[in-house]
Amino acid sequence: MNKLFAVFFWIFNATLLLIVYLGVLPFVGLALLNDAATGQVPLNFLVTFVGLVGVPITCSIAGFRTTVRQPILLFELFYGIEAPLLIVCIARFFWLRDLTPPTTFLLLALLVGTIATGHWLLSRRENLLRVNLWHLAGQVLVLTIALYLAALLSFYVLPTIAVVLEASPILLPYALLLLPLTVLILGICTLPFGVVVMYGRSLHSTLKQLGTRYGEWQVRAFSAAVLAGGLGIFLLLQQQPQIAAFRLLNPAPQTDQQRQAVLQKSDVIRNGLLNAYLSAYRYPRSNNGEMQSLYQSTLHVSDAIGQTVQNGFNTLMAPFTYQGTQADIDKAAQLYAQFFDAPILRGEHTAIQKALQSTFDRGAAKAGLDNINQKRVWLEEQHVTVTPQGDWAEVEIYEVYQNKTNLPEEVLYYFSLPESAAVTGLWLSDEATVPKKYPFAIAPRGAAQQVYSNQVQRNVDPALLEQVGPQQYRLRAFPVPVVPPVSASSVGQQKLYLWLRYKVLKQPSGWQLPELREQRNIFWTGATKRLINGKTVSGSDRWLPTTLPAENTPPTSHQMTLPWGAHVLAMPMPQTDYQPPQGKRFAVILDGSRSMEAQRQEVIESFRWLKDKILPQNSVDLYLPAIAPTPPLRIDHLQQSNFDPAKLVFYGMVQPKDLLAQFQQLRGERQYDAILVITDAGSYELNNDTKLAGKMPAPLWFVHLGGLALAYDDATLKAIQDSNGGAATQVQTVMQRIATQPSRGEGTSFLNLVDGYAWFLTREGTSSSKESTHQEFGALAARQWATHLSRYLQPSQMKELDAIHAAAKQYGIVTPYSSMIVLVNNQQRQELKQAEQQTDRFDREVEDAQLPPPPKSNISAVPEPAEWLLLLAAAGTISVANWVRNKQEAGGRRQKMLS
């Protein structure tokens, strides 16, 4: 028997090594190691892969030494050490993705018990006194787990025997032809049964050895305690957290006291909703009656017996089964957004990224990952050129992108510029020797977005720059060319080249550069080549410096002549000329969403400033929106109330349009000089495309404590633009701009006060102003003129939107209604031309294509042929039974068709 088992041992390991080194390493291992080098593989998954490769070769070497020196038998080596380790590696690498507490416990217990048994196999030969209780504990754990796995596999024994006997004429030739693979499959199928035999014998031996030393009753009591403790922990860990989370949120708490109680259990809710959202990654099966169908199709049992078998199988598979339905994925995402006021993909970015990366299929890992701050595209070069023109300058940013993956990638930036800045150019090129090869076009925002999205789906090069807020912009470029194959490496990698140009007024701190709000896919390192005005600068962990130094040039007046003879005039506005509001009436809307908890201190300080500086000379009504069924609240004359922001309960999610809708509902006929919405950066992805009911009765200002929002949906942005409002990060800034309304007398209309300049529209020019041509200062003036048009025309009809767009197109600038798109071929230009004729050409969708949700079901890979060998072996009896059953069904269908 020892010689016969030796033959099995060597055939098994030789076949496994062949598959691992010829099938797994070339097709899976190299990609996995490459991703591991860039931090895209969880450590425990990488360790499992190393074990899968290293265990068979290590045990083969140990087997050779065992054959020569015989310190232990090959049977003991294989089923005592190699088999449990293979079970751990195969289950973790091919079956389990994101580990749950019970699966983690099973794998760790099996690993620790195997290590203890390996030590016992060597220790007993040298000295029986070296056998200790921890050896016994390890053997008890491994034997228990092996019995559990054997019980699971036993459900497949009878069906497998039935189909193998019935299909033996088909299977036998293949089994003989592929004898090494047959041995490998049979070996893997019998791993748990062999481990039971091996550990049953070793446990019996250890009990006898330790019983002599410590007493038989004491040793058996210790074994029972280990068994009870392990089973207790395992059963305790099977409580899935989503059940408690759903119970806490349904029904939704109605009062502040109930909400406070729920908020105390935020961690329970977070873990539960995340578990439900990642159920497709954490639980490899669901209750679908597969065992009953197998028994009825192979053994022709009754429904009652089949259901009994299915119930038993479901009980044993509970640690690997999600206790819920597929609909829980969407439910969890919705509840998370409503409770935490953030998309779950943002709030749980690290955990979701880890789950998506835990797969041997690297293509699936890359396709599913959300790309916020992902290191996919390297910023190889960055050139910043500032051309001063007195108190304003033209800034051009040139970047070179190099893809570090084998998939086409999109670069995306959310950034902000000073409100008065004007973006005047965007270009792409795919050749270093042909700068600005593909120029931009100014297009209606909806048409530009539609064409860009369509071209991305076709893997054609476009770029899109949109204004998504008073100061906010979104820049996207696609695709950055993929890494060339090794055989083509000598040719060199194709790169993507991008130019962005804008004009900006000088600020006291200098020339303002784009402030990054968020980037996707793009990353930079110390090796990124950076030049500012032709001079190399040291590397930085920032995208761009905040400002660049400017000469001490005093601000001057400027004017631009419009085509019909009127003039846009810019006048410097000293800080001393700003005034506090006097005798005004304001509406303050305070966002009570959960995410505002992080800004509580700023909320307290903002209301303290309002109380000290604004309330004595002005009137303020406070609006507190709420989540249904709680009604919103209005507090008239804040100065006479005892409102304390420190006692406010921040709970749930109320979106900007909901804040404004509740304000309109409560306002009645009250008139205000300005409306301030005190909120945080919010979550752009949670907005929808619904329209606002009615226009704002006064300038609408969003005060984003903690930082500007990434973007606004078009309806909210329109409400800001139409009402002559804006966005800021401090209440003080808004009050200064509201109160200061400079005038230049009759015949002059005030346009805006922004970034230290007052802007006017006048019928007659002024000799004291420096006349600037359209090619120079004109873009900055045109930016203010386009903003004025959106307020003056109150765009609600297509012709009014077309008039605003015509102004943007004439002066070549980006506005909230007009975007820049770079097109590279005639087909794209024709598609844009058609989109510009559509009635929805200005309708832009709220989109965030870089945040794909996890799939609704378990991810299925499409392996290469060599990978199928290992997958077939890893599947064991399950794969054999299903494969044979499919063959039978196919044969039965063919027989029916022939008959």
Side-chain angles (χ1 to χ4, degrees):
M1 291 299 295
N2 287 338
K3 292 181 180 179
L4 185 60
F5 186 83
V7 173
F8 162 80
F9 178 88
W10 292 115
I11 293 178
F12 179 94
N13 279 288
T15 307
L16 183 57
L17 287 171
L18 187 67
I19 292 176
V20 167
Y21 284 94
L22 296 183
V24 176
L25 274 177
F27 298 102
V28 179
L30 295 180
L32 187 72
L33 293 174
N34 181 65
D35 288 348
T38 58
Q40 299 183 40
V41 177
L43 179 60
N44 63 59
F45 194 79
L46 179 62
V47 170
T48 303
F49 170 72
V50 173
L52 185 64
V53 175
V55 165
I57 191 170
T58 302
C59 289
S60 296
I61 295 172
F64 177 77
R65 298 185 63 184
T66 295
T67 304
V68 175
R69 306 167 81 183
Q70 289 193 346
I72 59 177
L73 298 175
L74 284 179
F75 180 86
E76 295 173 327
L77 172 65
F78 183 77
Y79 285 115
I81 299 176
E82 184 173 5
L85 293 180
L86 283 178
I87 291 174
V88 170
C89 294
I90 291 175
R92 176 68 181 98
F93 195 74
F94 290 105
W95 195 47
L96 302 174
R97 291 199 58 170
D98 197 30
L99 297 179
T100 61
T103 55
T104 300
F105 175 77
L106 281 178
L107 295 180
L108 286 178
L110 196 56
L111 180 63
V112 172
T114 303
I115 294 173
T117 302
H119 188 266
W120 171 79
L121 287 172
L122 296 175
S123 300
R124 62 173 186 168
R125 295 287 182 180
E126 298 176 6
N127 186 352
L128 290 178
L129 294 179
R130 295 184 61 183
V131 178
N132 294 311
L133 291 175
W134 79 283
H135 295 137
L136 178 61
Q139 292 169 2
V140 169
L141 291 176
V142 175
L143 178 60
T144 305
I145 296 173
L147 286 169
Y148 170 66
L149 297 178
L152 284 176
L153 286 179
S154 66
F155 280 88
Y156 289 92
V157 173
L158 291 179
T160 302
I161 292 175
V163 295
V164 168
L165 290 176
E166 188 174 350
S168 57
I170 301 175
L171 287 178
L172 188 57
Y174 291 102
L176 294 176
L177 182 63
L178 301 174
L179 183 61
L181 185 59
T182 303
V183 172
L184 178 65
I185 293 175
L186 291 175
I188 291 181
C189 292
T190 61
L191 285 182
F193 302 103
V195 173
V196 169
V197 174
M198 161 61 196
Y199 276 79
R201 294 171 55 182
S202 64
L203 181 62
H204 177 72
S205 175
T206 306
L207 285 172
K208 289 181 61 177
Q209 295 170 6
L210 294 178
T212 304
R213 188 187 315 168
Y214 299 109
E216 184 175 343
W217 182 87
Q218 289 85 343
V219 172
R220 292 186 183 276
F222 175 79
S223 302
V226 172
L227 177 61
L231 287 176
I233 294 174
F234 182 63
L235 294 175
L236 184 63
L237 293 175
Q238 289 195 52
Q239 302 300 316
Q240 295 184 9
Q242 77 278 358
I243 299 174
F246 289 152
R247 185 173 60 249
L248 286 169
L249 297 178
N250 187 24
Q254 307 296 316
T255 65
D256 282 351
Q257 291 77 10
Q258 292 175 341
R259 290 171 178 171
Q260 285 281 23
V262 172
L263 289 174
Q264 297 299 319
K265 299 181 179 179
S266 293
D267 289 340
V268 174
I269 294 174
R270 184 186 304 275
N271 293 333
L273 296 181
L274 182 62
N275 195 64
Y277 188 70
L278 291 177
S279 58
Y281 296 91
R282 292 182 170 181
Y283 301 93
R285 74 174 295 272
S286 58
N287 290 317
N288 53 16
E290 75 279 9
M291 189 57 62
Q292 181 179 2
S293 300
L294 179 61
Y295 269 68
Q296 290 179 334
S297 63
T298 57
L299 301 177
H300 310 291
V301 300
S302 64
D303 290 344
I305 295 177
Q307 186 60 54
T308 301
V309 173
Q310 183 67 58
N311 292 339
F313 186 73
N314 288 343
T315 300
L316 289 178
M317 286 294 288
F320 311 105
T321 306
Y322 176 69
Q323 298 172 15
T325 65
Q326 198 174 69
D328 287 352
I329 296 176
D330 290 334
K331 180 181 177 181
Q334 182 180 5
L335 288 175
Y336 189 97
Q338 293 173 351
F339 184 79
F340 291 103
D341 191 26
I344 191 170
L345 279 160
R346 285 187 182 276
E348 306 302 326
H349 170 72
T350 302
I352 293 173
Q353 177 179 313
K354 174 177 170 290
L356 294 173
Q357 290 174 335
S358 298
T359 175
F360 68 93
D361 184 354
R362 303 318 299 163
K366 294 179 186 298
L369 278 174
D370 58 294
N371 301 315
I372 297 176
N373 298 329
Q374 287 299 299
K375 297 182 178 181
R376 304 285 187 78
V377 177
W378 180 47
L379 178 59
E380 182 180 329
E381 291 185 41
Q382 182 188 79
H383 301 244
V384 179
T385 304
V386 180
T387 306
Q389 301 289 337
D391 59 343
W392 65 274
E394 184 175 73
V395 181
E396 183 173 276
I397 300 171
Y398 162 62
E399 295 189 337
V400 181
Y401 306 120
Q402 184 182 127
N403 196 341
K404 292 298 184 181
T405 75
N406 56 1
L407 297 172
E409 299 289 355
E410 180 187 55
V411 170
L412 185 147
Y413 292 112
Y414 279 99
F415 63 90
S416 59
L417 284 170
E419 189 176 335
S420 59
V423 179
T424 58
L426 180 69
W427 298 266
L428 282 183
S429 182
D430 51 13
E431 299 181 59
T433 57
V434 186
K436 301 180 180 177
K437 182 177 179 180
Y438 304 114
F440 65 90
I442 303 293
R445 62 188 183 188
Q449 183 192 54
Q450 176 186 338
V451 172
Y452 178 86
S453 300
N454 291 342
Q455 296 307 309
V456 166
Q457 294 175 2
R458 299 169 188 164
N459 280 348
V460 183
D461 301 58
L464 179 65
L465 178 61
E466 306 168 276
Q467 185 173 355
V468 289
Q471 305 172 43
Q472 298 98 315
Y473 295 83
R474 176 170 59 201
L475 171 61
R476 294 184 282 181
F478 179 89
V480 183
V482 301
V483 176
V486 177
S487 58
S489 59
S490 59
V491 179
Q493 181 177 354
Q494 191 177 7
K495 303 170 186 177
L496 186 65
Y497 307 84
L498 181 143
W499 291 259
L500 169 65
R501 181 182 294 172
Y502 68 94
K503 296 182 179 181
V504 64
L505 294 167
K506 190 182 70 171
Q507 299 299 303
S509 58
W511 304 118
Q512 297 286 322
L513 294 182
E515 182 179 354
L516 184 66
R517 315 301 305 176
E518 181 177 285
Q519 85 269 20
R520 306 206 183 147
N521 282 333
I522 185 73
F523 74 101
W524 41 87
T525 66
T528 298
K529 182 180 179 181
R530 297 177 184 265
L531 290 91
I532 296 179
N533 290 328
K535 297 182 180 179
T536 302
V537 296
S538 58
S540 171
D541 58 352
R542 298 174 58 90
W543 178 39
L544 289 162
T546 304
T547 59
L548 292 178
E551 296 181 0
N552 190 20
T553 304
T556 59
S557 300
H558 301 272
Q559 69 178 21
M560 180 191 74
T561 303
L562 295 170
W564 55 91
H567 305 274
V568 175
L569 179 65
M571 301 289 293
M573 190 74 178
Q575 187 66 32
T576 54
D577 289 353
Y578 285 84
Q579 304 170 0
Q582 298 282 340
K584 303 291 184 180
R585 188 175 187 181
F586 300 108
V588 174
I589 306 172
L590 178 58
D591 182 5
S593 299
R594 174 63 179 159
S595 60
M596 286 289 289
E597 178 64 38
Q599 310 301 331
R600 181 181 290 274
Q601 189 57 41
E602 285 199 53
V603 170
I604 295 173
E605 292 174 1
S606 296
F607 275 87
R608 183 182 297 122
W609 185 86
L610 286 172
K611 181 179 179 180
D612 294 341
K613 303 296 183 180
I614 301 300
L615 294 185
Q617 294 84 26
N618 304 273
S619 176
V620 175
D621 293 342
L622 176 63
Y623 290 79
L624 298 175
I627 302 173
T630 303
L633 176 66
R634 186 186 72 228
I635 301 177
D636 294 334
H637 305 295
L638 182 61
Q639 60 269 35
Q640 299 175 9
S641 72
N642 57 356
F643 171 73
D644 184 1
K647 298 179 180 179
L648 193 65
V649 177
F650 293 111
Y651 183 88
M653 175 187 68
V654 184
Q655 286 302 307
K657 278 180 288 195
D658 298 326
L659 295 173
L660 300 180
Q662 294 186 30
F663 163 74
Q664 292 280 49
Q665 174 188 346
L666 287 179
R667 180 178 67 89
E669 299 299 324
R670 290 170 179 78
Q671 298 299 318
Y672 297 101
D673 294 291
I675 304 163
L676 278 70
V677 178
I678 299 180
T679 182
D680 58 355
S683 300
Y684 166 72
E685 300 85 359
L686 296 179
N687 293 331
N688 54 46
D689 297 313
T690 58
K691 306 298 182 183
L692 285 172
K695 65 178 184 179
M696 291 295 106
L700 174 64
W701 287 85
F702 275 84
V703 182
H704 296 284
L705 304 180
L708 290 173
L710 285 186
Y712 299 102
D713 62 275
D714 285 345
T716 304
L717 180 57
K718 181 177 183 297
I720 296 173
Q721 292 288 125
D722 293 356
S723 66
N724 196 22
T729 57
Q730 291 183 327
V731 175
Q732 296 91 319
T733 303
V734 176
M735 288 298 180
Q736 277 190 340
R737 291 186 59 177
I738 291 173
T740 307
Q741 299 286 322
S743 174
R744 288 185 53 81
E746 199 172 329
T748 301
S749 300
F750 175 66
L751 298 181
N752 202 1
L753 176 64
V754 58
D755 297 332
Y757 283 77
W759 296 84
F760 302 92
L761 177 65
T762 177
R763 297 190 185 95
E764 298 182 1
T766 172
S767 58
S768 61
S769 300
K770 176 183 176 182
E771 181 69 28
S772 300
T773 64
H774 164 67
Q775 291 79 7
E776 296 175 348
F777 186 80
L780 289 164
R783 173 77 177 84
Q784 298 303 318
W785 172 241
T787 301
H788 168 71
L789 283 179
S790 67
R791 298 164 179 165
Y792 173 75
L793 294 177
Q794 296 293 301
S796 58
Q797 298 180 2
M798 193 63 64
K799 63 179 182 179
E800 296 173 337
L801 291 171
D802 285 335
I804 299 172
H805 174 62
K809 195 168 184 178
Q810 178 181 359
Y811 296 105
I813 59 174
V814 175
T815 72
Y817 297 100
S818 305
S819 302
M820 276 184 182
I821 185 169
V822 177
L823 305 175
V824 301
N825 57 45
N826 291 330
Q827 183 271 333
Q828 292 179 337
R829 298 182 185 96
Q830 182 61 32
E831 184 174 340
L832 178 62
K833 186 176 181 181
Q834 294 174 357
E836 288 179 324
Q837 305 303 317
Q838 302 298 318
T839 57
D840 61 349
R841 55 184 175 272
F842 289 100
D843 295 337
R844 188 168 47 185
E845 297 179 356
V846 174
E847 65 170 351
D848 201 351
Q850 298 298 321
L851 291 176
K856 303 297 183 183
S857 60
N858 294 342
I859 289 181
S860 60
V862 183
E864 299 292 336
E867 295 175 44
W868 276 113
L869 297 177
L870 187 58
L871 288 177
L872 181 63
T877 308
I878 300 174
S879 296
V880 174
N882 289 336
W883 180 79
V884 174
R885 185 180 54 160
N886 291 337
K887 287 289 185 181
Q888 280 190 303
E889 292 175 354
R893 288 193 295 268
R894 286 195 295 269
Q895 289 295 332
K896 290 181 180 180
M897 292 176 64
L898 290 174
S899 62

